[in-house]
Amino acid sequence: MDFELDGNAALCTAATSGLGLASAERLASEGADVAVCGTTRAHVERARERLDAAGDGDVLAVRADITDPDEVEAFVDETVETFGGLDHVVTSAGGPEPGPFLDTTEREWYTAYDVLVMSVVWTTRFAYPYLRGSEAGTIVNITSRSVREVIDDLVLSNAVRRAVVGLMKTQSREFAPEVRVNAVLPGAHETPRIEELVEAAVERGEYGSYEEGIESWSDAPLGRVGRPEELGDVVAFLSSARSSYVTGTALPVDGGSMRS
C-alpha cells in the first residue's frame, strides 16, 4: 500500500530510539522528510544514520530536551525552515520511572507530567499553525495501553499518560477538519525500554534470564511481544491519506492483550 507520503515533512519528538525511531523510519521509508530529536549525541547520530538509510528524503536529527518549551519551539522552527513546511507530527517520550504509588516521590510526578504531557502540549501548540496550512496535517501521539488498563508497578505511566488521550480527543475536535489527531496505545514491544525493565527484573531475581523475562511480556493472544516496526506501520498509516476519515481515535497496537 502506497501511503502517499513522498515529499511530506514529518517531525517526531524523542525519536532517536525505540518506538519513536521505528515510526520515524517508517515515515522515511515512505519518502517523507523526517526530523527527530533526542537528548544524547550518540542517539542523535545513530538515528541520523538509520533514517538516511531508510529512505530518500531529507533528514534532520538534533539534540533537544522535550521538557524545555524553548527547545521544543526551536526544534519545530528548524524543521519548518529545513523542509519548507510541516505536514505530520508524531509525539513520543521515554517512559517514566517504574514503581508502585507509595515509592513514588512528588518530584517524580512532576517530572513525568512534563515528559509525558507538557511535551505534547508544547509540540502540538508550536506545530499547529504549520499543520493547519498543510493539505494533510496530522498528529499521532504514541502513548501506552496503560491508559486503558493499568500495569503493575507503573503508576506514573498508568496515571499520567491518560491526560494525553484526553488532550488528543480535545484537539481532534478543535483542530478539525484541517488537522487529524490520533493516538496509538502500544502493548509490549521489544524496545530498549522493555529491555531495561526486563533486565531490572532479572537483577531482582524475578527471572532466571532475559529470554525468560521477555517471554513473560508476551501475554498477547498472538503469543509474542511486538516488533517496533509493527508500531511504525500503524503510525505511518494514521499519518497518511489512507486514514483520512480517522480522527480522535486511540488505537491499541498490543497483539490483542487488552481485555477491555
Side-chain angles (χ1 to χ4, degrees):
M1 180 183 293
D2 182 3
F3 286 160
E4 299 180 7
L5 294 172
D6 189 53
N8 284 194
L11 176 150
C12 307
T13 62
T16 56
S17 66
L19 298 179
L21 178 56
S23 300
E25 284 186 299
R26 188 67 176 91
L27 293 168
S29 74
E30 289 291 328
D33 299 329
V34 179
V36 298
C37 71
T39 55
T40 68
R41 188 177 302 280
H43 281 172
V44 167
E45 291 306 315
R46 185 185 66 176
R48 189 195 316 276
E49 292 174 1
R50 287 179 55 168
L51 292 171
D52 279 334
D56 297 327
D58 293 333
V59 173
L60 174 66
V62 302
R63 293 178 65 185
D65 180 358
I66 61 172
T67 67
D68 184 327
D70 291 336
E71 294 194 21
V72 173
E73 184 174 21
F75 176 44
V76 172
D77 289 346
E78 185 174 358
T79 299
V80 172
E81 181 178 352
T82 301
F83 298 153
L86 183 60
D87 303 292
H88 312 289
V89 165
V90 179
T91 68
S92 178
E97 289 297 316
F101 172 73
L102 293 177
D103 292 345
T104 303
T105 67
E106 184 173 316
R107 176 47 51 194
E108 287 172 330
W109 280 99
Y110 284 117
T111 298
Y113 193 80
D114 277 350
V115 171
L116 299 178
V117 181
M118 291 310 300
S119 66
V120 180
V121 170
W122 293 320
T123 302
T124 54
R125 176 181 292 165
F126 297 135
Y128 173 70
Y130 305 107
L131 296 175
R132 183 180 58 191
S134 167
E135 294 183 357
T138 66
I139 298 169
V140 179
N141 306 130
I142 301 175
T143 59
S144 169
R145 71 173 185 171
S146 66
V147 306
R148 293 266 186 89
E149 293 183 350
V150 300
I151 301 172
D152 290 346
D153 292 324
L154 290 180
V155 65
L156 292 174
S157 183
N158 295 338
V160 178
R161 286 188 190 274
R162 294 183 181 222
V164 176
V165 174
L167 174 64
M168 175 277 294
K169 195 67 176 178
T170 301
Q171 289 181 334
S172 73
R173 301 182 68 83
E174 290 188 6
F175 293 177
E178 292 85 3
V179 179
R180 294 186 296 109
V181 191
N182 293 288
V184 290
L185 316 181
H189 289 69
E190 196 166 2
T191 63
R193 168 67 169 167
I194 295 298
E195 292 171 2
E196 175 189 335
L197 293 173
V198 171
E199 288 167 358
V202 171
E203 290 181 5
R204 293 193 300 268
E206 296 177 18
Y207 306 110
S209 66
Y210 175 83
E211 291 72 21
E212 180 186 347
I214 197 67
E215 185 177 349
S216 75
W217 280 79
S218 56
D219 61 345
L222 293 185
R224 61 177 176 82
V225 297
R227 298 185 299 273
E229 59 267 27
E230 292 175 304
L231 188 282
D233 289 342
V234 177
V235 170
F237 168 71
L238 290 173
S239 301
S240 77
R242 300 302 182 191
S243 63
S244 58
Y245 201 56
V246 181
T247 194
T249 295
L251 178 62
V253 187
D254 65 348
S257 63
M258 196 178 299
R259 294 179 180 272
S260 60

